Amino acid sequence: MNRNSIIELIEERFTSSAIEADQHADYLILSNIPRMVVVRGKSQVALAFAHKLRQEFPNRSVFWINARNQVVFEHDLLRIGRCAQLSGAIDSTLQHTCDVTAYLESGACGEWLLIIDSLDLQAFDDPHIFDELIPKSNFGSILLTSHSESTADKFGCSQEIVTLDAWDMLDATRLLELQTGAAIPKDGRTAELLSDLGCLPLAVVQAGSFIKRSSVSIPQYVQLLKGHEYCKAKGSSDHLSAEHVCTANPTQSEIVVLQTILLIKAISDQNAIAEEILYLTACLEPTMIQRKLLRTSYNQSQVDVAIDLLKAYSLVTVEDTGNVLSLHSLIHLAIKIHLRTRNLFATYAERCFLSVSDHFTTTNKSGSIAFENNHQYLPHAISAWRSYMTELTENSSYLVGEEVAEHLASNIVWHLRSIGSYTTARRFAEEAAQCSRVVYGHRSSCFLACLRNVAIVDREMGNFEEVAKILLNTVGLGESFLSRGLPENISLQGEVGLWLQSQGLYQKAEVWHLKAIELSGKHFGFEHTVSLEEGQNYALSLYRQGKLEAARDCFEGILNVRKEQFRHYDADTLDTIDNLALVLKAQGQWELAKEYLRKALDGRKATLGAIHSDTFYSKAELAESHRRCGELPQAERLIKEALEFFRTVLGHTHPTTLILLGNLGILYQCRGHYREAERITNEVVYRRGWKLGPNHPATLLSMFDLSVLLQCQRRDKDALDLGRKVLAARRRTMPRDHPDLRASERHVPQLQENLDCLLRCSQK
């Protein structure tokens, strides 16, 4: 069946109302998608269908997403939100994947076609993320391409899967003529060439580009394929296996590798800059490579000429006026194999690693780099880390400093956490820890930092048993290890204390925080930043034990030191003010707490600007104080402003968004708006359960709040049933003296007593 027939078949499938998605044991969500077709084959067919659709329906939106792995899939999905903003369809950028899904489902962009290209669920950290983020709406259709038979079989019944046959000689000849710009003789040498290429479209395009640019004849090109380079490239099958290539035909992959090597040789003879740029792409993701990441010593006009040459040889495609490059995945793989055979991969991996480290500078303190800029580097940052660190596990002669490696690893994990991609963050953090242990050693600062990142992600995901294993095993390395005065060692002891606090073991946490303070004071002085940070953690453990005066004295002391040191409201000083206000609220000094929170808000506006996440978080904290003072309208205004900001920036399911949404539900409860409060609290319970799991402390806290809300509405039976469920879960997952567990143990008997009292009254 030729390509036109395939396109007509796809069009028929999309317009057929009789097609319904088949339900599978692990993938039920697609049953809500009325028009979805899976194509096992090449992306060109999908592209041709998209162009045909646009010609017939110019007002229909067409979106293209690469899904070769989870990071790239989520990254490209977010690009839809940015495109929607640029087109004027929405006012603000959609910066969370679930918001983009909701945008497509809402029909705000009219009818649409979503093309998901090169899907490989085996490369996803969590395959169910794909199910969750697929838009389910009658407004759109989905065309999915995949080289993986197992991936294709997971979607739809057999009538929805279109398997592409290999190209025939006629199709391949036409493509070769189109690529060379000249008529091709229909003789035995042409047939021999196309047969050697397996009529593979990418291979034909490469051959045509080489023939046109190098001015060789088809017989000469055939001879090149049969020559020494071909024999060497045949050995690439071992490299293909090492790179875990999953294609329908490995021989076709070898053909592309062979021809890419021929093209590289031709380019190196003509332009060394083009060759260098091509080698740099091998250590990044093959799609949407920002030109600024390809760091060279040449000027812009020289680089422009080099990129034009790469385009002419069909090695890269370019968009955004030449600032963004993309490569076919097989070409990208061929360049990596070529570098490895020449023992050059580590050199270019190191250059990409350093370049990405300079650009990917997100930290939770600075806020100086825009979220969108960092997010576009994310896939390349992860790829550069993996390329370089994997290479170092085999060849330690190339060694970037620990500080640079630690910086990039921590920033990647922080960014993944900030967008709510906890599964990917957990997997990357663990992988980074394993690599840094091999490369730098199990006593290195980089390994400690990566290990701490794993513990932080586990703590946020509610995997408290995993946190315990990580931290206590590290402590088991010996006092000599942890007693060294490295900031990472001290922070790791502090992380033990924070984990103990998360378990409600505040007295034990206090001991660990004191150890960290003592060690930091000994090596850096008690007024050092590290010492002050650990002092804050110690004060928090005091606050949570109800030692309010001691906690207040500690926070006030830290605040005075920081004011003297910085003489302005830096990020750490403002955090201390927030914590001091927390203690004041616990002491019932709400007016004084409001004064401090206003100082924090004004300080963040002055240093970070009015439109910054920390500024809006200050508004949320101030709103809570207004609520406790009975100033409900002011509280509602501030909490809604903060909630709207975090929904836009972080998405509907991010932990911060859900905290604020829960606070809004409590505010409505205080105002007697029980129906709206119940709707909001139910939403928080659902979203936390989906994101964090049903037994996560945050999920159980929302369920507890819902039980209290039901009690306020005199629905004691419903409140008791839910309260018992929360109590049972907390008994299974929390220590005996955890404050949340104690709260449930007081709450349930109270509900039972109320219900018994009502029953007795009804019987009189």
Side-chain angles (χ1 to χ4, degrees), residues 124-287:
F124 275 55
D125 297 322
D126 181 4
H128 290 88
I129 289 292
F130 182 80
D131 292 346
E132 296 289 352
L133 294 178
I134 282 289
K136 298 166 283 296
S137 169
N138 289 325
F139 292 106
S141 305
I142 295 175
L143 179 61
L144 188 154
T145 75
S146 177
H147 291 286
S148 168
E149 182 176 356
S150 61
T151 294
D153 287 343
K154 287 184 181 294
F155 302 99
C157 54
S158 59
Q159 64 175 341
E160 295 173 302
I161 300 176
V162 179
T163 301
L164 300 187
D165 299 325
W167 276 38
D168 57 26
M169 283 290 182
L170 181 60
D171 287 332
T173 302
R174 288 173 179 170
L175 181 60
L176 187 61
E177 288 180 334
L178 181 65
Q179 198 65 26
T180 59
I184 299 296
K186 312 298 191 294
D187 56 19
R189 301 312 294 270
T190 300
E192 181 183 3
L193 170 62
L194 296 177
S195 176
D196 285 344
L197 300 181
C199 293
L200 184 67
L202 176 59
V204 174
V205 168
Q206 287 182 311
S209 299
F210 188 97
I211 291 169
K212 180 178 181 180
R213 293 289 307 184
S214 302
S215 300
V216 299
S217 65
I218 288 180
Q220 289 172 321
Y221 189 75
V222 171
Q223 184 141 16
L224 279 173
L225 291 180
K226 302 288 187 183
H228 178 61
E229 290 293 333
Y230 178 68
C231 297
K232 285 168 57 179
K234 274 294 184 182
S236 65
S237 59
D238 294 336
H239 291 285
L240 290 172
S241 300
E243 296 289 344
H244 306 290
V245 174
C246 177
T247 60
N249 190 339
T251 303
Q252 293 181 349
S253 300
E254 292 181 2
I255 292 169
V256 174
V257 170
L258 157 68
Q259 294 202 127
T260 301
I261 292 173
L262 291 176
L263 293 174
I264 291 173
K265 186 177 184 303
I267 286 171
S268 65
D269 292 339
Q270 298 178 48
N271 191 313
I273 304 175
E275 181 185 20
E276 183 176 339
I277 290 172
L278 200 62
Y279 290 164
L280 288 171
T281 64
C283 307
L284 304 171
E285 275 293 323
T287 57

Side-chain angles (χ1 to χ4, degrees), residues 3 6 10 39-43 45-46 162-167:
R3 262 40 184 177
I6 291 289
I10 295 173
V39 179
R40 285 192 57 216
K42 305 306 177 187
S43 307
V45 173
V162 179
T163 301
L164 300 187
D165 299 325
W167 276 38

Side-chain angles (χ1 to χ4, degrees), residues 257-462:
V257 170
L258 157 68
Q259 294 202 127
T260 301
I261 292 173
L262 291 176
L263 293 174
I264 291 173
K265 186 177 184 303
I267 286 171
S268 65
D269 292 339
Q270 298 178 48
N271 191 313
I273 304 175
E275 181 185 20
E276 183 176 339
I277 290 172
L278 200 62
Y279 290 164
L280 288 171
T281 64
C283 307
L284 304 171
E285 275 293 323
T287 57
M288 302 300 294
I289 301 174
Q290 287 72 31
R291 181 166 157 173
K292 62 181 68 174
L293 295 178
L294 304 172
R295 181 184 293 171
T296 67
S297 58
Y298 306 103
N299 61 43
Q300 182 173 341
S301 60
Q302 290 175 311
V303 174
D304 287 341
V305 172
I307 291 176
D308 286 342
L309 182 62
L310 295 176
K311 286 171 54 183
Y313 274 104
S314 301
L315 288 171
V316 302
T317 57
V318 179
E319 56 183 284
D320 189 19
T321 63
N323 291 320
V324 177
L325 281 67
S326 295
L327 296 80
H328 190 283
S329 58
L330 285 177
I331 293 176
H332 182 258
L333 174 62
I335 300 168
K336 292 174 70 173
I337 292 173
H338 181 63
L339 286 175
R340 291 190 188 280
T341 57
R342 297 182 62 192
N343 295 320
L344 290 174
F345 186 79
T347 301
Y348 285 93
E350 182 176 6
R351 287 179 58 179
C352 286
F353 189 94
L354 292 172
S355 177
V356 169
S357 296
D358 288 344
H359 286 90
F360 197 86
T361 55
T362 308
T363 68
N364 57 342
K365 295 291 184 184
S366 68
S368 59
I369 305 298
F371 176 93
E372 182 178 344
N373 289 337
N374 286 285
H375 196 73
Q376 68 179 336
Y377 300 137
L378 179 63
H380 305 298
I382 293 175
S383 182
W385 170 276
R386 287 174 172 164
S387 295
Y388 185 60
M389 297 303 288
T390 301
E391 193 70 15
L392 285 184
T393 59
E394 302 172 1
N395 179 8
S396 60
S397 60
Y398 300 86
L399 204 61
V400 166
E402 287 184 50
E403 185 177 349
V404 177
E406 174 197 334
H407 169 83
L408 182 57
S410 296
N411 285 340
I412 290 173
V413 173
W414 184 87
H415 190 84
L416 289 168
R417 287 166 50 218
S418 73
I419 62 175
S421 296
Y422 293 111
T423 303
T424 305
R426 176 61 170 80
R427 180 170 175 176
F428 175 80
E430 186 174 29
E431 179 184 325
Q434 291 171 350
C435 287
S436 59
R437 181 185 182 118
V438 173
V439 173
Y440 297 106
H442 71 285
R443 296 177 182 272
S444 64
S445 62
C446 185
F447 172 63
L448 286 176
C450 292
L451 203 62
R452 187 179 69 246
N453 290 336
V454 177
I456 290 171
V457 177
D458 272 329
R459 178 159 52 82
E460 292 181 347
M461 294 177 70

